[in-house]
Amino acid sequence: MSHSILIVGGGPAGLAAAEALASIGRHSILVEKEERLGGAPILSGYAKLVPSGEWAKDAIGGMVRRVEGNPLVSVRAGRRVDAFEGEPGNFNVRLSDGSSTTVGAAVLCTGFTHFDSVNKPEWGFGTYPDVVTTTQVEQMISSGKGVRCPSDGRKPRRVAILLCVGSRDRQIGREWCSKICCTVSCNIAMEIREELPDCHVYIYYMDIRTFGLYETNYYWKSQEEFKVKYIKARIAEVTSNGQKLIVKGEDTLVKRPITIPFDMVVHAVGMDPNVDNRTIASVFGVSLQPQGFIGKANTYATFGETSRPGIFVAGSATGPETIDDSIAQGKAAAIAAYALVNGAKAAAQAA
Amino acid sequence: MSHSILIVGGGPAGLAAAEALASIGRHSILVEKEERLGGAPILSGYAKLVPSGEWAKDAIGGMVRRVEGNPLVSVRAGRRVDAFEGEPGNFNVRLSDGSSTTVGAAVLCTGFTHFDSVNKPEWGFGTYPDVVTTTQVEQMISSGKGVRCPSDGRKPRRVAILLCVGSRDRQIGREWCSKICCTVSCNIAMEIREELPDCHVYIYYMDIRTFGLYETNYYWKSQEEFKVKYIKARIAEVTSNGQKLIVKGEDTLVKRPITIPFDMVVHAVGMDPNVDNRTIASVFGVSLQPQGFIGKANTYATFGETSRPGIFVAGSATGPETIDDSIAQGKAAAIAAYALVNGAKAAAQAA
């Protein structure tokens, strides 16, 4: 019988799970397929996180440093789980480096994959170099180089942010909302306006979903303090006149076609299921949801249960999720995994 | 030095906090001001919860029964905390029944207060008996009596659900979004259509915020499978012609005034800060946010910290929150509280 917990994925949820277990004196093995921990916020170079306003490299970087320095967490970066067999309290794990170990339970914190904008070709990504993604703009900001047009390095004078790229779009099989892109886009719009006060920023939206208290700090602030302009529209296409990018669509409030030239167009890319989810489902023997995210039982009893006893799930592996909620879920699922193993131990001792 | 953790509030977050601590073998004292545990879902008689579709009395009722039967949780219902003094690891708690105890830390799971619709008088609540709230409709459904017009008990043929009552409304000092009312309203609309197939249900909205995977099961399903009608509108007033309720407003998509008669009008009431928050802040010495919710530090290091060391916070006490996330946060904050006390113990032993 093993009391270690396997955590798969070193993003916010996985780091939080490892910290929660260490905080109650329990050992975990954290397997991450990339060479570095931190997940999307670190590996994709996010800038300031919502809603805290803290830089990703400080906020999530701090989680990474604490986990890497924690003697109760064995970090196995640059490796995958190739096999996972057994029963709660006694699972055999084989990693891609050929090593094996035994764990009592597992928590899948395997995250999401950013939507690839080349799957929405009519909106210009891959055709025009100044059509970029929110992730690229985050990288421009976090690098300290500022927001510049990739084609020639100039400061954009007009930027359009298109919401719901790869979200709420049945034409391309993504009917879900990615939950956080509205707020992230409001935040990016304010960052651009702060760096480039002469740049006009427009946000094209279907519904503005800056839910909860975000409303105050993002929706209102972006409009009133930062003069970001919101257009409720259905986008038809993004083309070029040789000098400017042209966004064509229908303003759904006035029911009229609108055509506006921009220097830069930003795709607010959604959250796809992790591209590895079929493999993950196969290796761990867990069910996927119809959309391809990992299935999760209700939260009322044991938190974060998958379809297989002893395997738990947390964060954006189960669907679009905020960083804050991924962290809470990582901790809650880790404690559920611990309790399962501990309960099995108590039962074994009583027998 | 005490190792018990005080949990204040017996709703989803507080119940989850108590269960998390018990699952790692730790004792908690759960204080609830009402005579019964369960929080809003039980005390307000919610019907089926989103997104699980499970009845509140089963889902949250199950949490209540497990906590009440857990020897590691001392339930103190019908009592309030009158005083809380000391330092982490050694706080003295005095309850309203005159009893005192010592705890190592506290988790505030003190929840929210439903917006009171009489504060939006032009929308007819308090004037016309058939203007009701989402909470009242939940009660009609969960009671098994069905959705009926309070004035005469008839089955409504046309129902309007008005979103954002007490939310996103600066005229009445509520600029925040209450996060869950859109999804709850979609769910209620489908429930009405299921019970009363001849009843037409309209949802008046500013933005539809059925975020994340909710989109699939609520936004699309309500329109396509249940034929719920959505009107993007700004409501002016709800009046009566003596026979029907009259909803007047402006359709903001076609920019025209619309006046539609209904049998029943439902206010989708938002989440206010707990009306007791000033007292709670005073007794516990914690800061409130500008909107009146309890302030919370970022989630990256210690989860759920308030402005006072040793006091944590989770769930809708900090702002509008879903039940699922309240549960995750309750568990995460409880573990943070435990770790603080345990760390203090280890330091004391080492000294």
Side-chain angles (χ1 to χ4, degrees), chain B:
Chain B
M1 166 151 261
S2 170
H3 297 135
S4 287
I5 308 287
L6 174 71
I7 299 166
V8 187
L15 294 166
E19 283 204 274
L21 290 169
S23 80
I24 61 167
R26 309 302 304 193
H27 178 255
S28 63
I29 300 167
L30 176 55
V31 177
E32 163 60 49
K33 68 180 175 184
E34 304 294 339
E35 295 293 335
R36 293 174 63 198
L37 298 182
I42 295 298
L43 299 171
S44 295
Y46 289 0
K48 289 182 185 169
L49 302 181
V50 297
S52 69
E54 296 188 27
W55 290 95
K57 66 181 191 308
D58 299 327
I60 309 302
M63 295 181 79
V64 169
R65 288 185 286 278
R66 288 196 304 277
V67 161
E68 288 179 336
N70 196 312
L72 286 171
V73 186
S74 300
V75 175
R76 303 277 182 269
R79 274 160 271 197
R80 294 169 183 263
V81 176
D82 280 349
F84 190 86
E85 286 158 6
E87 300 297 326
N90 192 27
F91 286 111
N92 295 307
V93 188
R94 184 159 47 79
L95 300 185
S96 55
D97 62 6
S99 68
S100 289
T101 187
T102 308
V103 299
V107 187
L108 305 179
C109 301
T110 44
F112 69 100
T113 296
H114 287 107
F115 175 75
D116 185 343
S117 270
V118 297
N119 294 314
K120 194 73 188 171
E122 62 271 35
W123 291 5
F125 184 86
T127 306
Y128 308 110
D130 294 338
V131 178
V132 299
T133 66
T134 35
T135 305
Q136 287 175 281
V137 175
E138 296 257 6
Q139 291 163 355
M140 292 179 193
I141 296 166
S142 63
S143 70
K145 293 174 187 166
V147 177
R148 301 294 179 268
C149 294
S151 63
D152 59 3
R154 77 183 187 282
K155 294 179 180 174
R157 309 266 312 185
R158 293 168 82 92
V159 173
I161 301 176
L162 313 185
L163 296 185
C164 300
V165 184
S167 303
R168 305 184 69 190
D169 188 344
R170 292 171 151 193
Q171 288 182 339
I172 54 170
R174 272 86 173 170
E175 75 272 35
W176 60 88
C177 156
S178 292
K179 194 169 180 177
I180 196 64
C181 337
C182 282
T183 308
V184 165
S185 295
C186 287
N187 190 43
I188 285 176
M190 292 191 285
E191 296 257 24
I192 294 172
R193 290 277 302 150
E194 188 156 41
E195 192 219 333
L196 306 171
D198 295 332
C199 180
H200 298 271
V201 181
Y202 293 69
I203 293 179
Y204 285 75
Y205 71 97
M206 278 197 272
D207 295 285
I208 293 290
R209 294 186 166 175
T210 46
F211 52 77
L213 288 179
Y214 294 169
E215 188 82 351
T216 308
N217 295 333
Y218 295 94
Y219 182 79
W220 291 115
K221 195 175 174 189
S222 65
Q223 292 180 70
E224 296 180 345
E225 197 173 319
F226 287 87
K227 310 300 179 196
V228 175
K229 298 167 190 78
Y230 287 78
I231 304 178
K232 185 169 169 71
R234 198 161 289 278
I235 308 293
E237 59 175 6
V238 178
T239 57
S240 170
N241 64 6
Q243 296 196 317
K244 298 278 187 181
L245 296 165
I246 309 295
V247 176
K248 290 182 190 166
E250 186 201 355
D251 184 319
T252 50
L253 285 182
V254 300
K255 293 262 191 287
R256 271 203 297 257
I258 44 169
T259 301
I260 305 181
F262 290 97
D263 298 297
M264 177 183 279
V265 172
V266 183
H267 284 198
V269 290
M271 297 169 87
D272 267 6
N274 188 322
V275 291
D276 291 333
N277 270 1
R278 281 176 188 275
T279 305
I280 292 167
S282 169
V283 167
F284 288 94
V286 299
S287 299
L288 299 179
Q289 300 176 62
Q291 299 93 341
F293 295 99
I294 295 174
K296 183 172 78 160
N298 77 46
T299 63
Y300 313 120
T302 306
F303 192 92
E305 287 180 302
T306 64
S307 59
R308 184 173 175 189
I311 304 184
F312 298 81
V313 65
S316 58
T318 67
E321 199 46 273
T322 68
I323 290 175
D324 280 10
D325 289 325
S326 294
I327 288 172
Q329 291 171 20
K331 291 177 187 282
I335 295 306
Y338 162 78
L340 177 81
V341 177
N342 203 47
K345 180 184 74 172
Q349 286 175 338

